[in-house]
Structures are given as C-alpha cells and as structure tokens.
Amino acid sequence: MEQVWERLMNAKGYLIEGIFANLLHITLHNKEIILHATEPVLYIQKDNSADIKYWKIGWTEDDAGDDYLLPEEQETPEPLEYELIEDPYQRHTYQKHIISSSSFSIEHNLIKEVIGYGSIYSNRVILSAVVLELEDSFLSIEAGPAAEMRVTNKEPKHLGDAIFSTA
C-alpha cells in the first residue's frame, strides 16, 4: 500500500493552482510571503488536463509537543464549501469545482521538486514540513494548529532532516 508521503511525491510535474482555506492570514515579511491557515487545501493539476488533485493539510501533535503534518489527497476540496461544475469541458476549462473560500495563487507554479522533512520511527515517516520547489520560488509548509506556508526566492533552511526528495 502506497504511503501518503509517497503520493505527495507524485505532485512533481503538476501545477499548484491555488492554496485555499476558510480564512487565510497573509503577511509580507523580509520579502517573504507568509500564510497561516487552519486545514488549508492545495489545488494541483497536470497542465492542460483533467488530472486534478486536492491536498488537505492537517496536523497532529505528539506527547512531546512536536507538530506533524497530516497531508491527505482527495478528489474534492473538502472541508471547504464548493460547487461541482456540471460540464467543465463545455466551458473550455478543466476546473471541476468552484471553491467558496479565501485563496492565494503563485505565478510560475510548476512543481519541480518535492522535499519532505521530519523523522522516521520504526519504518514510519513523520512529516514536520514539506517544500515544493517551483519555477521561480519555493513554497514551504510547516505543521502547526495553523499551518505556516512561506513563499520565498531562496530554498528554506532549518527545517530539520530531509527524509525524502524527488530530486
């Protein structure tokens, strides 16, 4: 059975079309865009195709107080409110859902590499952060009650040990 982190690695080559959440808090600090959201949903799509995936970014906390990501691949943008587009091909778009929430998008959004950070305990991968290398930037996602996502021009450092990479 394929693990969640292995499916997350399959995002390489997709476009990140948007980050959605019921409430997004966005700030600009030292030329970095920082987003905070509870259970954000990433919308990714193969270029010019109906191959669309949503990644809900959940989290958990262990007994020591460390936060870990719980990414979940899904076919719809739940838990966000959305409407199904009846015939997306007739509208000359491959978009399947209209999502009623806050959103954020990134220009030059091809995912070139996926890197996971965290720990491996007893053959179990525990993610604390994920970095998506895009064409002109990086998107890092760190675990917490409100996930922290940063869009930067430089590869993020100090995220811990890299435990997988598509490089």
Side-chain angles (χ1 to χ4, degrees):
M1 184 172 156
E2 191 176 41
Q3 299 295 314
V4 172
W5 65 269
E6 291 173 312
R7 288 193 304 274
L8 190 59
M9 288 176 55
N10 293 332
K12 180 178 179 174
Y14 279 71
L15 302 172
I16 182 162
E17 296 292 349
I19 300 169
F20 294 84
N22 282 322
L23 180 62
L24 276 173
H25 177 75
I26 304 170
T27 57
L28 177 63
H29 180 71
N30 291 334
K31 298 184 181 180
E32 290 185 354
I33 298 170
I34 305 168
L35 301 91
H36 288 97
T38 303
E39 286 195 327
V41 174
L42 279 61
Y43 166 23
I44 65 171
Q45 178 177 9
K46 272 287 192 193
D47 194 21
N48 294 320
S49 85
D51 186 359
I52 294 172
K53 299 181 184 330
Y54 297 96
W55 281 94
K56 180 174 73 172
I57 308 297
W59 75 284
T60 190
E61 181 179 52
D62 67 11
D63 294 337
D66 294 324
D67 296 329
Y68 298 105
L69 291 174
L70 296 175
E72 181 181 339
E73 182 180 326
Q74 45 192 44
E75 296 297 317
T76 65
E78 292 178 6
L80 303 174
E81 186 176 326
Y82 67 92
E83 292 181 35
L84 184 64
I85 296 174
E86 293 298 328
D87 189 2
Y89 308 107
Q90 184 177 8
R91 295 186 51 203
H92 306 290
T93 179
Y94 291 109
Q95 183 178 348
K96 294 179 182 178
H97 304 98
I98 297 172
I99 304 170
S100 301
S101 73
S102 297
S103 66
F104 180 83
S105 58
I106 302 168
E107 190 175 47
H108 306 291
N109 56 351
L110 176 67
I111 300 170
K112 294 172 47 178
E113 186 177 349
V114 180
I115 307 163
Y117 295 86
S119 308
I120 300 175
Y121 297 113
S122 303
N123 292 334
R124 185 170 165 230
V125 173
I126 300 175
L127 287 176
S128 56
V130 171
V131 173
L132 304 178
E133 180 182 345
L134 307 175
E135 294 166 270
D136 292 336
S137 61
F138 295 85
L139 171 64
S140 64
I141 305 168
E142 295 183 60
E148 180 175 280
M149 298 162 281
R150 291 178 179 258
V151 179
T152 63
N153 291 327
K154 296 178 183 172
E155 186 173 358
K157 303 291 183 201
H158 311 295
L159 294 175
D161 296 327
I163 54 175
F164 67 80
S165 172
T166 58

